[in-house]
Amino acid sequence: MIPIGICAQDFTSVTASVNGDKASSTFDNNVKTGWQLTTKDMENQQHLMYVLAAPGDVNEVQIQGKGLASENIQKVIRLYITYDPMNLGDPVNYTVSGDKTLVLSFKPKYGAHLRIQFADKAGNTPIIINEVSVGYDQSINTSSASGTAKDKPWMNASRPVEERIDLLLAVMTTAEKMELLREGWGIPGIPHLGIPDIKKVEAIHGFSYGSGATIFPQSIGLGATWNRKLVEEVAGVIGDETKSAHAIQAWSPVLDVAQDPRWGRCEETYGEDPVLVSEIGGAWVKGYQDQGLMTTPKHFGGHGAPLGGRDSHDIGLSEREWREVHLVPFRDIFRKHKYESIMMAYSDYQGVPVAKSTELLKDILRDEWGFDGYIVSDCGAIGNLTAKKHYTALNKIEAARQALAAGIATNCGDTYNDKAVIEAAVNGQISMEDLDFTCRTLLRVMFRKGLFEENPSRSLDWKKQYPGWNSDPHKEVARRAAQESIVLLENKNNILPLSKSLKSIAVIGPGADDLQPGDYTGKPLDGQLKSVLTGINAAIGSTTKVVYEKGCEFFSNENTQIEKAVKAAKQADVAVLVLGDCTSSESITNVTKTSGENHDLATLVLPGDQQRLLEAVCATGKPVVLILQVGRPFNLSYAAEHCQAIMVNWLPGQEGGYATADVLFGDYNPAGRLPMTFPQHVGQVPLYYNFKTSGRRYEYSDMEYYPLYYFGYGLSYTSFEYSDLKISQQQNGCVNVSAAVKNVGSRAGDEVAQLYVTDMYGSVKTRVVELKDFERIHLQPGETKTVNFTLTPYQLSLLNDRMDRVVEAGEFKIMVGGTSPSYVAKDRIKDSLNYPDNTKGLVGTLNYTMNFSSDFNLKVVSVNEDPISKTKTAVLEVINAGTITDTGKVGMYVNGRKAGTDRHFELDPGEKKELRFKFESDNSEEVSFTTKYKMVKL
């Protein structure tokens, strides 16, 4: 037992339902300060939510305060120990002792958060909480065992990695193996065995732990830049700040393909297209890993298409949809950048929760792709296998069996570390083969990264601002990223850019002076987030008057003062409205969030009274510039008709206010492009651009099919023209595509040239149009540049009616432009694909003359027998004698009956792979191995 005392190190942060600015005084080691609930506060349910400095098996909570007594505290307070703050679970049953210091004791429960919940109408006496601390049960924690490992054979770095793993596993107890898989702000390690710890961070748009790291645009904004090099640079800066804080792993980036804007986590993604996500996500992985750090792409997989837009509610995707869309970014980025850990998702694969899917996590991820790193569970996902969510496991022991069989190593949650689970493992109720395999995946990465020899991981000082954090060079990158992310949707009569010498500007809206950075943001420093109002005030001349009115809250209908906003707009030359989502750091309390994890929307109308505010200001007749500060597409049908200009600055990071003003006043020419389609109405969603042909109508009886703003769309302050489209097929099957792009306007600016392809006729239905590549280029007025793209046969391929990857000779449309092409949503929709003129893009035709397919040959290499068990192992060689990369699987049959599980593979042309099959035989059986089309016998 750790001695229990009032210690500021027990917690890293706390949030509160009320009086949030005083909550941290409950662990400041000062009994004279505290957090108070008035009798009015106590009419409603209130809470304190703490983040534990050391996740572990909590068994006591100490409280010093006033207004609480041992005889009534159980009626007033409920305690929750949880790993996932979004899913509290059941409160603990505790006993009470003590007088001045109340000690609440309970059965040990593992967690990373403590929630103290106060019942509503619990009394008529004010409550003051002066100090709170926790105690831990360490009886199952092996990490502090005595001894040293420095001279042990597995510590010899000259030995092969797999040999070192074998040596270490041979001496580890079962309890130590379970301890290895425990998660607590990373991997805790086992010091007496020399097993290092791994400190991790969430880092999708900045180092998100502590306070003071640079805050970059949220991922959806980075996707809107369509700029690989910039995103690689951003990730490199985040990596630099990660190293400064002595962490070595990021549970990032998010590679989900977001297909429903109602989903709150759209903001964490790079958009709705698998190629865009692959390219921008790949740039992030490269930039971060080039710093010598580890990435953990997530959420594997199919997480971005939830039913009804509700987070983690599975829609039942087909294998075809998985392989055409949702697996693409994870596969492509692994092939290019070889990440060494990956986070599995809450969702299902073919009806099986991912947390137990051996087909997804072993057959596809490991056997097909060759991933040999370790799998991290999303928080609580293993526990979700029980009746908590999925009902595939009767209890945590069975959930652990299922997850270990799938090879999930790091348990973010409370399953592997559960005492009953550890006892079951020690007693042989959990497969040691599965446990060893899973431990091996984690140890392999640790040895390969050299962490046993030199481990830079150190515990985070949550109150420290580390060297390099928020430095001027890093601020410059953040501002540039915000500038490049801004998408201009409307600019009627070229109202933008605004003059810096206007007489007056009304700046209105809940987001005008409250910049929203998005979820997974660290606690901002005072003044770190530069709002749009701050940016405008910094940009204008001294003769321009700025009048600010909030108008309404983001979500609440309280404090609405639309009449003041209308008055300000009437007195101004132009009204700038900043509306949108509320989504920020977990340290920000007393707000209702509308975007981010677990914050999905049923409608896409601007929340709260924001739509009323928009309509009221537009009704003044004054020019209105709408700045949409959001993490997802919204319904802008009214705004598109009534606003003179609309720009989306997303969740733009700490320099977002300055960057937005740069665009407003013409110091930066916008060139962001939409990474997601904007619908006319929520009734149209999901409405992603790369849909497949309909068997009947496209339109509704009360609305046409078309989106309000197309994927890839965005305006500029200058104009571009496309010309000289060239398409040529090469002998190796690749297709070279080039086009000239000219800046025909008077301002320098960026254009995002986008390459789209349509397979006109195929053996199966194909998507109406698909993005294949893109390039962001900068052009001076009058300057022309040629963009060049190369399409490989794989990029022209499809999955046929047998799920074989093939390229079919025939007609392809090739389109290069500054947005996705338009179409007529009627019969012959593919024929209608076009650009209105050459300022938007060009369309050409390719008559492709080659066919590509795989051809897998089998050969038995050897058969070996274990003299003790009499088990035989057949080594089978598979070679792709075909012309395209494809997947397949081999099944084993004994006397005509299926035996064991299929072995999956993916092979490039000419590539070969050995597969091993174990079976019992007395030499009388007929053993054969089959692919979809071929068979070989022993």
Side-chain angles (χ1 to χ4, degrees):
M1 181 85 67
I2 296 177
I4 303 174
I6 303 300
C7 175
Q9 295 304 310
D10 282 356
F11 310 109
T12 60
S13 63
V14 62
T15 57
S17 53
V18 294
N19 307 319
D21 58 330
K22 300 294 185 181
S24 61
S25 65
T26 62
F27 64 102
D28 64 357
N29 213 15
N30 184 354
V31 294
K32 294 182 180 180
T33 61
W35 176 79
Q36 182 171 356
L37 287 177
T38 65
T39 53
K40 183 177 180 181
D41 292 332
M42 294 171 62
E43 292 176 2
N44 301 304
Q45 193 178 87
Q46 307 293 352
H47 71 265
L48 290 162
M49 176 68 94
Y50 295 89
V51 179
L52 302 182
D57 295 282
V58 182
N59 66 354
E60 289 192 5
V61 174
Q62 284 191 351
I63 299 176
Q64 293 185 21
K66 299 176 182 178
L68 293 173
S70 58
E71 60 268 18
N72 71 353
I73 190 171
Q74 290 172 318
K75 295 180 181 179
V76 177
I77 284 179
R78 286 186 174 185
L79 293 181
Y80 295 86
I81 305 296
T82 181
Y83 207 93
D84 182 359
M86 303 293 183
N87 297 289
L88 295 177
D90 298 323
V92 299
N93 294 317
Y94 62 84
T95 60
V96 186
S97 61
D99 184 15
K100 291 185 178 180
T101 298
L102 297 176
V103 180
L104 315 186
S105 303
F106 44 90
K107 181 181 178 181
K109 186 172 183 183
Y110 188 83
H113 301 266
L114 162 67
R115 184 183 179 104
I116 302 177
Q117 188 158 298
F118 300 84
D120 57 343
K121 299 179 176 60
N124 54 10
T125 302
I127 292 175
I128 298 175
I129 305 297
N130 297 113
E131 291 293 316
V132 176
S133 64
V134 295
Y136 297 86
D137 179 355
Q138 284 198 313
S139 61
I140 63 168
N141 190 342
T142 64
S143 63
S144 60
S146 60
T148 180
K150 66 178 181 179
D151 297 324
K152 299 299 183 182
W154 61 84
M155 300 299 291
N156 184 347
S158 66
R159 292 179 183 269
V161 166
E162 296 302 316
E163 181 182 321
R164 297 177 76 184
I165 296 172
D166 291 338
L167 290 167
L168 180 50
L169 286 176
V171 302
M172 291 179 72
T173 66
T174 300
E176 286 168 342
K177 292 173 183 178
M178 296 300 295
E179 169 71 4
L180 175 65
L181 304 183
R182 179 171 67 84
E183 199 278 331
W185 299 112
I187 297 165
I190 305 177
H192 75 277
L193 292 174
I195 299 176
D197 63 336
I198 292 179
K199 293 294 186 289
K200 61 88 177 176
V201 67
E202 302 276 5
I204 53 176
H205 64 123
F207 190 96
S208 67
Y209 295 166
S211 178
T214 310
I215 302 169
F216 291 90
Q218 179 60 293
S219 299
I220 193 69
L222 295 177
T225 69
W226 293 61
N227 188 334
R228 300 172 182 88
K229 285 293 184 184
L230 174 64
V231 174
E232 183 180 330
E233 184 180 3
V234 166
V237 171
I238 297 171
D240 182 70
E241 296 193 2
T242 299
K243 290 195 300 183
S244 181
H246 309 296
I248 60 176
Q249 179 186 20
W251 283 7
S252 308
V254 172
L255 299 184
D256 305 325
V257 180
Q259 292 188 316
D260 194 321
R262 293 171 294 183
W263 184 43
R265 303 191 80 169
C266 287
E267 68 169 66
E268 300 174 24
T269 77
Y270 300 118
E272 70 183 38
D273 178 79
V275 170
L276 181 63
V277 174
S278 296
E279 294 299 314
I280 299 300
W284 199 101
V285 168
K286 183 179 186 303
Y288 197 82
Q289 289 186 172
D290 280 352
Q291 293 281 352
L293 301 167
M294 297 166 57
T295 61
T296 306
K298 58 185 182 182
H299 308 83
F300 186 67
H303 197 52
L307 181 64
R310 297 181 297 273
D311 190 42
S312 302
H313 197 162
D314 189 67
I315 202 171
L317 299 167
S318 67
E319 182 186 359
R320 180 180 296 278
E321 195 72 9
W322 276 85
R323 291 189 180 273
E324 289 181 352
V325 177
H326 297 283
L327 293 181
V328 171
F330 293 96
R331 173 191 177 273
D332 288 0
I333 293 173
F334 176 73
R335 286 174 70 94
K336 292 176 183 175
H337 303 297
K338 295 294 186 289
Y339 50 79
E340 294 185 278
S341 65
I342 189 171
M343 180 184 286
M344 48 71 60
Y346 293 118
S347 49
D348 302 353
Y349 178 77
Q350 306 294 285
V352 179
V354 172
K356 64 166 291 187
S357 176
T358 56
E359 183 175 5
L360 181 64
L361 300 184
K362 282 190 171 178
D363 297 344
I364 293 175
L365 178 63
R366 295 191 184 278
D367 285 354
E368 287 187 16
W369 301 354
F371 176 80
D372 67 350
Y374 66 96
I375 301 170
V376 175
S377 81
D378 206 342
C379 294
I382 298 176
N384 285 353
L385 295 172
T386 66
K388 181 179 180 181
K389 298 290 184 185
H390 297 311
Y391 291 89
T392 68
L394 289 172
N395 50 44
K396 286 185 179 180
I397 296 172
E398 196 168 328
R401 286 196 199 106
Q402 294 174 0
L404 287 168
I408 298 175
T410 302
N411 174 204
C412 179
D414 57 1
T415 301
Y416 289 170
N417 56 281
D418 186 88
K419 281 189 174 183
V421 173
I422 295 170
E423 290 171 4
V426 171
N427 294 331
Q429 296 172 263
I430 289 177
S431 166
M432 189 56 59
E433 181 180 357
D434 290 340
L435 180 56
D436 281 353
F437 171 87
T438 304
C439 289
R440 181 178 292 273
T441 64
L442 179 52
L443 292 171
R444 179 181 295 119
V445 174
M446 289 178 163
F447 278 123
R448 194 160 57 199
K449 300 289 289 184
L451 298 180
F452 278 76
E453 291 71 57
E454 184 176 350
N455 182 18
S457 284
R458 301 289 185 274
S459 295
L460 179 73
D461 182 345
W462 288 71
K463 296 182 179 180
K464 179 179 179 179
Q465 188 173 357
Y466 285 86
W469 281 19
N470 203 29
S471 64
D472 287 343
H474 292 181
K475 289 179 184 178
E476 187 277 326
V477 178
R479 183 165 179 168
R480 186 154 36 92
Q483 290 171 335
E484 294 204 20
S485 73
I486 293 173
V487 182
L488 183 61
L489 298 180
E490 298 283 352
N491 192 19
K492 299 171 186 176
N493 300 316
N494 294 319
I495 187 174
L496 297 182
L498 298 175
S499 168
K500 293 183 181 180
S501 58
L502 287 170
K503 290 183 179 179
S504 61
I505 301 173
V507 183
I508 299 168
D513 199 29
D514 190 2
L515 184 135
Q516 297 297 297
D519 67 1
Y520 289 100
T521 298
K523 182 180 181 181
L525 299 172
D526 290 342
Q528 185 176 1
L529 300 178
K530 308 301 182 185
S531 70
V532 173
L533 179 62
T534 299
I536 289 173
N537 280 325
I540 59 172
S542 58
T543 60
T544 301
K545 180 182 179 182
V546 174
V547 179
Y548 163 67
E549 288 292 344
K550 187 175 183 179
C552 66
E553 303 292 340
F554 282 109
F555 190 80
S556 170
N557 298 118
E558 298 178 359
N559 304 318
T560 296
Q561 295 181 322
I562 291 177
E563 65 283 353
K564 288 186 177 182
V566 168
K567 181 179 179 181
K570 287 180 176 179
Q571 295 174 351
D573 294 329
V574 63
V576 176
L577 259 67
V578 187
L579 307 176
D581 276 317
C582 177
T583 169
S584 188
S585 168
E586 288 187 2
S587 67
I588 307 298
T589 59
N590 303 326
V591 296
T592 300
K593 296 181 180 179
T594 62
S595 180
E597 185 170 6
N598 249 9
H599 296 290
D600 313 313
L601 293 180
T603 75
L604 296 177
V605 176
L606 289 168
D609 282 333
Q610 292 185 77
Q611 185 70 28
R612 283 206 306 127
L613 176 63
L614 169 66
E615 294 179 14
V617 172
C618 287
T620 64
K622 288 300 180 78
V624 175
V625 177
L626 172 62
I627 297 172
L628 202 64
Q629 191 170 265
V630 294
R632 55 154 68 85
F634 272 87
N635 176 355
L636 298 183
S637 294
Y638 178 89
E641 182 178 352
H642 294 91
C643 294
Q644 278 61 52
I646 303 174
M647 68 168 68
V648 187
N649 72 346
W650 308 104
L651 307 168
Q654 65 177 59
E655 305 300 310
Y658 291 149
T660 302
D662 291 338
V663 173
L664 270 176
F665 296 104
D667 294 321
Y668 185 82
N669 189 350
R673 298 292 184 266
L674 289 181
M676 293 187 72
T677 301
F678 274 56
Q680 298 181 58
H681 189 277
V682 71
Q684 294 178 294
V685 303
L687 186 67
Y688 39 86
Y689 87 99
N690 52 347
F691 58 93
K692 291 185 178 180
T693 54
S694 170
R696 295 295 296 272
R697 300 169 64 184
Y698 291 92
E699 73 277 13
Y700 299 92
S701 295
D702 58 348
M703 183 174 291
E704 285 290 347
Y705 178 80
Y706 308 105
L708 184 63
Y709 297 111
Y710 282 65
F711 172 81
Y713 171 79
L715 299 175
S716 170
Y717 293 154
T718 189
S719 301
F720 302 94
E721 284 185 357
Y722 287 78
S723 63
D724 198 22
L725 177 63
K726 295 179 180 178
I727 307 166
S728 59
Q729 180 182 328
Q730 307 303 303
Q731 289 184 349
N732 62 0
C734 291
V735 176
N736 292 337
V737 180
S738 65
V741 185
K742 183 178 182 179
N743 183 346
V744 295
S746 59
R747 288 175 176 263
D750 290 359
E751 172 69 330
V752 180
Q754 304 161 40
L755 171 64
Y756 293 89
V757 172
T758 296
D759 189 344
M760 294 299 291
Y761 294 90
S763 58
V764 295
K765 283 174 61 170
T766 58
R767 299 177 190 279
V768 169
V769 65
E770 293 181 277
L771 178 72
K772 295 297 181 180
D773 206 346
F774 57 88
E775 184 179 357
R776 182 164 177 153
I777 57 175
H778 183 76
L779 293 167
Q780 295 294 326
E783 184 181 8
T784 299
K785 287 184 179 178
T786 298
V787 291
N788 296 283
F789 304 105
T790 298
L791 290 165
T792 66
Y794 193 92
Q795 290 176 291
L796 298 174
S797 68
L798 56 80
L799 294 170
N800 66 13
D801 53 353
R802 299 294 302 274
M803 290 297 288
D804 297 328
R805 186 163 295 281
V806 297
V807 179
E808 299 172 343
E811 182 183 351
F812 290 81
K813 270 193 175 181
I814 309 295
M815 293 151 281
V816 179
T819 182
S820 58
S822 58
Y823 49 81
V824 178
K826 303 289 183 184
D827 290 347
R828 306 190 66 86
I829 189 171
K830 288 185 178 180
D831 292 306
S832 72
L833 285 163
N834 213 331
Y835 291 105
D837 55 53
N838 70 339
T839 64
K840 298 293 186 288
L842 301 170
V843 179
T845 299
L846 168 68
N847 291 311
Y848 197 74
T849 60
M850 301 176 72
N851 293 289
F852 289 81
S853 63
S854 61
D855 181 15
F856 299 120
N857 292 329
L858 303 177
K859 182 175 72 173
V860 177
V861 176
S862 63
V863 180
N864 302 306
E865 183 176 35
D866 186 316
I868 299 175
S869 67
K870 301 301 181 182
T871 299
K872 289 187 177 181
T873 299
V875 180
L876 193 72
E877 181 184 87
V878 187
I879 185 169
N880 186 353
T883 52
I884 196 168
T885 302
D886 199 5
T887 64
K889 54 187 176 183
V890 177
M892 179 174 65
Y893 291 80
V894 178
N895 289 334
R897 289 193 167 193
K898 188 73 178 290
T901 58
D902 292 341
R903 293 297 308 278
H904 289 231
F905 58 85
E906 181 175 39
L907 297 173
D908 296 332
E911 186 181 6
K912 62 181 67 174
K913 184 176 185 178
E914 288 188 350
L915 305 176
R916 286 168 168 76
F917 295 84
K918 290 185 178 181
F919 59 97
E920 295 181 359
S921 174
D922 59 6
N923 298 320
S924 64
E925 292 90 350
E926 179 180 272
V927 181
S928 60
F929 303 91
T930 67
T931 62
K932 197 183 297 184
Y933 303 112
K934 295 182 181 180
M935 180 180 70
V936 63
K937 296 181 179 180
L938 289 185

